[in-house]
Amino acid sequence: MEEKIKAYLAEVKAFDSADPEEIERFRIRYLGRKGAIPALFEAFKALPPEQKRTLGKELNGLKNTAAQRVEQLKEIAQLANDPREAQDLTRPVYTEKPGTRHPVNLVKNEIVNIFKRIGFNVSEGPEVEDDWHNFTALNFPEEHPARDMQDTFFVARNPDWALRTHTSSVQVRTMESQKPPIRTISPGRVFRNEAISARSHCIFHQVEGLYIDKGVSFADLKQTLLYFAEAFFGKGTEIRLRPSYFPFTEPSAEMDVWWGLENETDYRMTKGTGWLEVLGCGMVDPNVLENCGIDPKEYTGFAFGMGVERIAMQRFQIPDIRLLFENDVRFLQQFATSF
Ligand code: DAH
């Protein structure tokens, strides 16, 4: 009996066919009621107990292997004969499309990496902020109209808790918890209670920069921003600084990058000026340093903040900010090679 089991097992393993009728004949020959394997089971009953013990396992193994082989071949035959399936069973399987980086992340990572190269570390803060970190420590006086510059989402009608309106709140947290020199870059999501349109959204991303040390001057700020503009927009990029106002910096400025005025799109993107608005910046106001426990007589510093969606829209010529939030894969797939 042992020989027979071995011989059948070899035959079962060697059998191959994609023809359903041939597979059925094979099944009947080995597994059918009068087939070879049931015949062995019949003979098995008459064996002495000690032989039963050793051969039982092998006989069962043979039966299972034969049954599996039949199922397997039937399945393959079915696929091969199905007109909906390609007939070529050697063709490669369909591949899963890998995910792609979101354009906002591509731009954020690039900005962060540019600043990492000159010694900035990365810091983050919470998206739900208290009034102190989002406004008061940043020199927004209570009831001051400057707070209206950034319409706020409050949390559960508690005026002390809000979704942060800018990543400048991370500046405060960093200065409160670290001693200068501080050189940090803080990317993150921010929220403003504003109507959604092609140009603005109530959720977007910013990257904040902060540098505090002894003797940091406006010239350092300008040079750092020029370095960034050339690294991001290309060598030879020109920048200009326009005086501006932010409660947390004095003096304050906005930086524009020369984009050009060669065609319709340039006109639209630069509102006819040829200059692209890129970021807000300034020297950290001494009140802010003091609020965060840093002596303004000993230290000075600069800060800047930029909107990531705005820059991504410029870089990829995206006409509507809402495209960045819909996550339509047909849109996102276009950035598949932009790693
Ligand atoms: N927080 C400002 C905003 O959301 C951007 C900004 C301006 C950040 C000037 C700064 C800065 O750090 O110095 O509009």
Side-chain angles (χ1 to χ4, degrees):
M1 160 138 347
E2 202 176 344
E3 256 83 89
K4 268 197 180 156
I5 295 177
K6 278 209 182 105
Y8 288 164
L9 196 60
E11 284 167 29
V12 165
K13 283 187 176 160
F15 177 68
D16 195 11
S17 170
D19 173 8
E21 281 171 25
E22 200 182 346
I23 298 168
E24 181 58 10
R25 281 199 297 277
F26 168 83
R27 188 190 68 77
I28 293 169
R29 176 149 30 97
Y30 287 93
L31 294 162
R33 241 179 336 118
K34 294 189 181 140
I37 295 171
L40 285 184
F41 271 94
E42 218 24 66
F44 178 81
K45 285 187 194 157
L47 290 179
E50 61 278 15
Q51 278 195 33
K52 273 190 176 160
R53 219 173 297 129
T54 52
L55 288 179
K57 210 167 133 214
E58 290 183 34
L59 190 52
N60 267 323
L62 169 65
K63 187 177 137 204
N64 292 339
T65 308
Q68 275 168 15
R69 189 76 189 133
V70 167
E71 283 313 308
Q72 204 177 30
L73 290 173
K74 269 197 201 161
E75 207 175 303
I76 294 172
Q78 199 185 1
L79 280 176
N81 295 319
D82 186 339
R84 289 169 308 176
E85 290 291 332
Q87 298 288 316
D88 179 5
L89 292 177
T90 64
R91 73 163 168 68
V93 293
Y94 296 118
T95 51
E96 291 286 333
K97 276 200 183 142
T100 59
R101 288 223 191 277
H102 194 281
V104 167
N105 263 333
L106 289 172
V107 167
K108 182 205 77 183
N109 290 345
E110 194 174 329
I111 297 168
V112 167
N113 286 334
I114 288 171
F115 284 101
K116 272 191 185 168
R117 291 208 289 272
I118 52 169
F120 281 71
N121 64 15
V122 177
S123 51
E124 288 181 341
E127 292 180 347
V128 178
E129 255 310 356
D130 53 25
D131 180 90
W132 170 255
H133 291 95
N134 196 78
F135 290 121
T136 305
L138 287 165
N139 209 26
F140 285 80
E142 222 138 297
E143 310 296 335
H144 192 279
R147 289 189 187 220
D148 295 341
M149 282 165 75
Q150 305 178 351
D151 289 319
T152 310
F153 282 119
F154 290 96
V155 175
R157 298 209 189 92
N158 179 344
D160 197 45
W161 287 97
L163 300 180
R164 66 179 175 197
T165 59
H166 53 184
T167 42
S168 303
S169 56
V170 187
Q171 278 189 33
V172 178
R173 291 187 174 270
T174 309
M175 286 191 275
E176 281 175 342
S177 63
Q178 290 173 31
K179 293 249 158 303
I182 295 169
R183 234 184 277 137
T184 191
I185 189 104
S186 321
R189 189 159 52 163
V190 301
F191 308 83
R192 298 220 184 143
N193 194 354
E194 277 171 18
I196 297 171
S197 71
R199 312 229 84 231
S200 66
H201 208 285
C202 57
I203 302 177
F204 55 101
H205 297 77
Q206 289 186 332
V207 174
E208 186 84 12
L210 177 72
Y211 181 24
I212 310 282
D213 203 350
K214 287 183 179 148
V216 177
S217 70
F218 201 91
D220 297 316
L221 169 61
K222 195 171 148 194
Q223 212 50 39
T224 306
L225 293 180
L226 181 61
Y227 155 79
F228 164 72
E230 289 206 304
F232 191 86
F233 294 96
K235 269 247 152 309
T237 296
E238 284 177 53
I239 63 168
R240 77 173 180 188
L241 292 166
R242 269 181 298 109
S244 185
Y245 171 75
F246 300 102
F248 34 91
T249 44
E250 182 58 37
S252 304
E254 272 169 274
M255 182 183 88
D256 300 341
V257 161
W258 177 249
W259 183 263
L261 260 185
E262 261 131 57
N263 55 41
E264 266 305 292
T265 317
D266 296 345
Y267 255 88
R268 193 168 36 79
M269 285 179 54
T270 66
K271 296 185 197 129
T273 64
W275 292 97
L276 270 185
E277 275 178 42
V278 174
L279 54 80
C281 60
M283 299 305 293
V284 179
D285 192 297
N287 287 344
V288 175
L289 293 175
E290 217 155 77
N291 287 340
C292 301
I294 292 177
D295 183 356
K297 287 192 219 67
E298 201 177 344
Y299 293 102
T300 53
F302 65 70
F304 56 87
M306 59 188 115
V308 184
E309 278 78 3
R310 161 94 75 84
I311 297 176
M313 287 167 76
Q314 289 160 356
R315 156 135 320 174
F316 300 119
Q317 301 277 302
I318 298 167
D320 190 320
I321 194 170
R322 288 169 288 202
L323 287 165
L324 294 169
F325 293 90
E326 281 163 2
N327 286 334
D328 182 330
V329 284
R330 291 167 303 180
F331 170 75
L332 296 177
Q333 279 291 328
Q334 299 177 81
F335 303 93
T337 53
S338 308
F339 274 88

